[in-house]
Amino acid sequence: QVQLVEAGGGSVQAGGSLRLSCVASGYTNSRYCMAWFRQTPGKEREGVAAIDSQGATGYADSVKGRFTLSKDNAKNTLRLQMNSLKPEDTGMYYCAALAGYTCATPRLKLSEYNTWGQGTQVTVSS
């Protein structure tokens, strides 16, 4: 079983930066697909950034050029560097993993992940 723990959320002004971290523990495998999702009240959880088993990354159009996803396999850590933050980036950010499987392309669909962290709140004020 895999456990995911997120950290790094907080409150910033528009234009600022934050870095989120997700540490995986338990039966981990560096080739598992992983991703960050975010959710605001009343809205469906949406994919923000994902990494596939070969390390290729994919991003939602809304964050391309501003967010950067990276993975430290030695530390079982997934990081999301968020720059030029906007108020619409506000939300609860969740780390996700497709434990037990590899994937050939980055995946941003909610239904494709079977393991979730508890989330970390990001608030961007204007």
Side-chain angles (χ1 to χ4, degrees), residues 22-125:
C22 171
V23 178
S25 62
Y27 189 69
T28 60
N29 186 314
S30 63
R31 290 173 58 79
Y32 289 163
C33 310
M34 296 188 74
W36 284 96
F37 285 74
R38 67 185 178 194
Q39 188 170 23
T40 53
K43 291 189 176 180
E44 188 173 285
R45 197 172 294 188
E46 62 172 354
V48 173
I51 189 166
D52 69 18
S53 299
Q54 289 73 42
T57 54
Y59 300 89
D61 288 343
S62 60
V63 306
K64 281 181 182 176
R66 301 188 297 120
F67 290 13
T68 303
L69 185 65
S70 62
K71 194 159 173 278
D72 184 338
N73 291 327
K75 296 183 178 180
N76 291 325
T77 300
L78 185 71
R79 296 187 178 95
L80 183 67
Q81 178 67 43
M82 306 187 295
N83 298 327
S84 302
L85 283 161
K86 303 175 181 180
E88 50 264 44
D89 294 318
T90 294
M92 185 70 80
Y93 281 68
Y94 297 91
C95 179
L98 181 57
Y101 300 90
T102 60
C103 60
T105 58
R107 300 184 176 185
L108 289 172
K109 287 182 65 176
L110 180 70
S111 60
E112 299 200 77
Y113 290 88
N114 57 16
T115 304
W116 295 88
Q118 294 300 306
T120 184
Q121 178 68 34
V122 171
T123 303
V124 184
S125 57

